[in-house]
Amino acid sequence: MKIPVFYFDDEVILLDSFRDTFGDEYDVQTASSLADARRLLSECRPDVIISDLSMPEISGTNFLREAARVCPHSFRILLTGYARVGDVIEEIGEGVVQFFMPKPWEENQMRKALELGALKRKGRKGQEG
């Protein structure tokens, strides 16, 4: 069974690229609007959630806060083109953001982040079983 991954970004070209790159390995769901993101988040219960920081309708950190409430066991990745880790240190400290990555993402770095999320999932499943 493929691990469900959800990616929220207003740059549709990056969503398409992500789906093309990782769709064979993961159960990829994407959204470019907040309404679609909230709907998909509630429907698919992803193990890995990725969000861009700078979004038109909501900040990525606020979206990941919502995601943490809906899917508390998910592994959450924040992407940004301009912020530094210090800009989201509170969210990292609270566990809202578990991985911070520059945007645009590079395939190898994203692959490592997804693998880390998959390992966390296996650990959770082992504890639940």
Side-chain angles (χ1 to χ4, degrees):
M1 186 167 119
K2 293 181 182 180
I3 293 171
V5 175
F6 176 67
Y7 181 11
F8 176 42
D9 198 321
D10 61 328
E11 293 186 58
V12 176
I13 194 164
L14 291 178
L15 298 177
D16 292 343
S17 177
F18 185 87
R19 203 176 308 106
D20 291 345
T21 303
F22 299 106
D24 290 340
E25 300 166 65
Y26 297 92
D27 178 12
V28 174
Q29 297 286 326
T30 62
S32 60
S33 73
L34 181 58
D36 287 344
R38 285 178 171 155
R39 180 182 51 79
L40 285 170
L41 187 63
S42 69
E43 291 174 3
C44 72
R45 302 287 183 192
D47 287 332
V48 178
I49 302 170
I50 304 163
S51 179
D52 182 18
L53 175 64
S54 181
M55 301 289 290
E57 300 171 286
I58 189 172
S59 73
T61 52
N62 285 338
F63 178 73
L64 290 178
R65 254 183 225 291
E66 287 183 26
R69 284 192 296 273
V70 175
C71 304
H73 299 294
S74 62
F75 183 75
R76 293 171 298 279
I77 301 170
L78 182 66
L79 304 175
T80 182
Y82 357 75
R84 297 178 321 246
V85 173
D87 297 335
V88 293
I89 198 74
E90 179 181 340
E91 289 80 5
I92 293 170
E94 293 173 358
V96 171
V97 173
Q98 293 151 321
F99 200 91
F100 184 82
M101 186 180 304
K103 185 179 173 185
W105 49 268
E106 294 180 10
E107 182 178 343
N108 287 337
Q109 187 178 19
M110 181 62 78
R111 186 171 305 284
K112 288 177 184 177
L114 293 172
E115 289 170 1
L116 181 59
L119 286 173
K120 298 262 184 203
R121 174 189 182 261
K122 280 184 181 179
R124 283 192 314 272
K125 298 291 184 193
Q127 292 172 355
E128 293 169 2

